[in-house]
Amino acid sequence: MAVPPALYTLGIPKAFAAYSPPRRYRGTTVRNARNYGALGNGANDDTTAIQAAINSLPTSGGTVVLTAGKYVIDPVRNLRLRSNMCLELRSGAVLLAKRNNQERAYVLMVYKVKNVEIKGGQIIGDRDNHIGSKGEWGHGIMIRGSSNVTVRDIHISKCFGDGISIGGAMVTGKPTISCDDIVIDNVVCTGNRRQGMTIGCATNVKVYDSEFSASKGIAPECGIDIEPDAHDGRTTSTVHIENCLIRRNAGNGVLVYKRVTGVTITKCTIEYNGGNGILTIGANTGYIAQNTIRHNYLLGTNFGSESKGYQFSGNVSRNNNTRLHGVKTASSPLVSMTGLVGGNKGNGAHVAKVSTATGIKVTTNSYAK
């Protein structure tokens, strides 16, 4: 699937934004990373200098500012954010992942902290020059076991793994610490190797006004993958995705996979994905409403094995299952249908369920071939 260059610059115009993200608590201290030795010249490794600026914040926290420049970050060491802080990348500030050969490496690490905001600028990963091909965990932003975190107004591309990964922090001999109250707003995650964003072991995740596109390189290759971290009882609950653009991913647009409850997907455009627009497997309760779902290679929305308690309402689905029907960009007239209607004149290319999916309610939606 070709990736048009324009995908690396598009986002959701703020004029159409649906949401204003919360400002997390932090102290008033401000540190400029250049005062701690960061050069931002695209060649010097600035990891130590920026980390020194972060570490210099008082207990009450504050803000670390990166002015315009290209800051090389060693993702093997990564920048470790602390509680009660904001990392502010001002206009023209870019974090460049240093070339490495590790299976696990993260530009920014948000680990077992609270009240954190990351805003502005860009993160560019090392997928184009990564040493070796093993691994799938070279993420732009890694959030683990943290609470009250906002990521906003940032462009993340070309990571060896995910643009953003959210999940639990393992503690030896104790239950995994889940993430809680995570907000993603006005973010573009595009051209990453595994997926735009993973939402693992977490509760209360909100995703607004963002783009997740052109994921390709290693499975699952989704725009957004909502999936607990491991097969050990961890869960994901209460995820809301609104006003997002999810397109041209090699896999599914959105995958909701096992031990996940309470997912709402609304007012999104989900198009030209290489799998289903939306696929649920083993997921419990959700609401899919007022989305535009079109031109996906497989079905528009597929309620897969053991899915239950979903409602599908007020969506517009066009020209899905292009594997069979081809891509048709002409706007055919919409037909209103209620329920699941099989056959060539029904809505089977757009919304379907398998026999083991239960409690699936499909109300009135609009469809076109």
Side-chain angles (χ1 to χ4, degrees):
M1 188 180 304
V3 181
L7 286 179
Y8 290 92
T9 57
L10 291 179
I12 303 297
K14 292 303 287 184
F16 300 100
Y19 180 73
S20 295
R23 185 186 186 279
R24 306 302 186 177
Y25 168 81
R26 56 180 175 268
T28 58
T29 300
V30 177
R31 305 288 198 228
N32 188 323
R34 289 188 181 269
N35 294 335
Y36 290 80
L39 299 181
N41 61 10
N44 184 70
D45 185 336
D46 286 325
T47 311
T48 298
I50 299 173
Q51 190 65 57
I54 293 169
N55 295 346
S56 76
L57 291 172
T59 304
S60 59
T63 300
V64 172
V65 172
L66 300 179
T67 56
K70 295 181 178 179
Y71 300 87
V72 176
I73 306 300
D74 183 353
V76 179
R77 293 189 288 150
N78 51 69
L79 293 178
R80 294 208 163 216
L81 306 191
R82 53 182 294 182
S83 293
N84 306 324
M85 75 161 289
C86 174
L87 181 65
E88 180 181 348
L89 281 69
R90 292 187 177 167
S91 179
V94 182
L95 302 182
L96 298 175
K98 187 176 181 179
R99 188 182 191 194
N100 68 90
N101 63 356
Q102 298 299 299
E103 295 184 11
R104 297 179 183 272
Y106 322 113
V107 177
L108 298 181
M109 171 68 86
V110 184
Y111 182 70
K112 293 199 290 188
V113 293
K114 63 183 180 179
N115 298 323
V116 171
E117 183 173 352
I118 300 166
K119 68 176 183 178
Q122 294 185 57
I123 297 175
I124 300 176
D126 75 323
R127 70 165 297 169
D128 290 346
N129 60 358
H130 189 82
I131 304 169
S133 58
K134 292 183 179 180
E136 57 191 78
W137 305 282
H139 307 327
I141 301 176
M142 177 77 142
I143 305 171
R144 286 290 182 270
S146 296
S147 60
N148 312 117
V149 177
T150 296
V151 180
R152 58 181 295 191
D153 307 325
I154 189 169
H155 188 287
I156 307 170
S157 65
K158 299 187 179 182
C159 295
F160 192 66
D162 304 344
I164 300 171
S165 179
I166 301 164
M170 296 180 64
V171 181
T172 303
K174 295 182 180 180
T176 296
I177 301 172
S178 175
C179 277
D180 180 62
D181 186 12
I182 309 298
V183 171
I184 309 296
D185 177 66
N186 192 39
V187 165
V188 175
C189 290
T190 189
N192 298 294
R193 180 169 169 262
R194 190 173 74 162
Q195 47 228 10
M197 180 167 65
T198 296
I199 302 173
C201 180
T203 58
N204 302 311
V205 179
K206 297 177 181 177
V207 186
Y208 285 91
D209 308 325
S210 295
E211 174 179 335
F212 303 93
S213 60
S215 303
K216 184 176 182 179
I218 190 167
E221 302 175 303
C222 299
I224 302 175
D225 180 7
I226 307 170
E227 176 180 350
D229 299 314
H231 300 287
D232 62 0
R234 288 182 238 181
T235 60
T236 305
S237 66
T238 316
V239 176
H240 182 81
I241 302 169
E242 182 172 337
N243 196 39
C244 290
L245 178 59
I246 303 167
R247 64 175 178 177
R248 296 192 185 274
N249 299 284
N252 302 294
V254 180
L255 173 62
V256 187
Y257 187 78
K258 293 185 178 180
R259 302 190 316 283
V260 178
T261 60
V263 172
T264 301
I265 304 170
T266 185
K267 300 177 184 177
C268 295
T269 297
I270 303 170
E271 63 183 9
Y272 294 106
N273 295 289
N276 300 278
I278 301 170
L279 173 63
T280 71
I281 298 176
N284 185 355
T285 66
Y287 186 54
I288 300 171
Q290 298 179 304
N291 301 286
T292 298
I293 306 168
R294 61 193 179 193
H295 308 310
N296 294 288
Y297 186 70
L298 299 179
L299 303 182
T301 301
N302 187 359
F303 297 105
S305 174
E306 307 300 329
S307 298
K308 59 184 179 181
Y310 267 77
Q311 181 169 327
F312 186 83
S313 299
N315 300 285
V316 174
S317 299
R318 289 183 179 273
N319 182 226
N320 291 296
N321 204 355
T322 61
R323 175 182 62 170
L324 295 182
H325 304 299
V327 176
K328 300 175 182 178
T329 56
S331 294
S332 301
L334 289 168
V335 176
S336 178
M337 292 185 193
T338 300
L340 292 166
V341 182
N344 187 48
K345 295 184 179 180
N347 56 14
H350 304 295
V351 57
K353 78 176 193 68
V354 302
S355 61
T356 58
T358 58
I360 306 301
K361 183 179 181 181
V362 178
T363 64
T364 302
N365 298 270
S366 298
Y367 307 92
K369 290 185 178 181

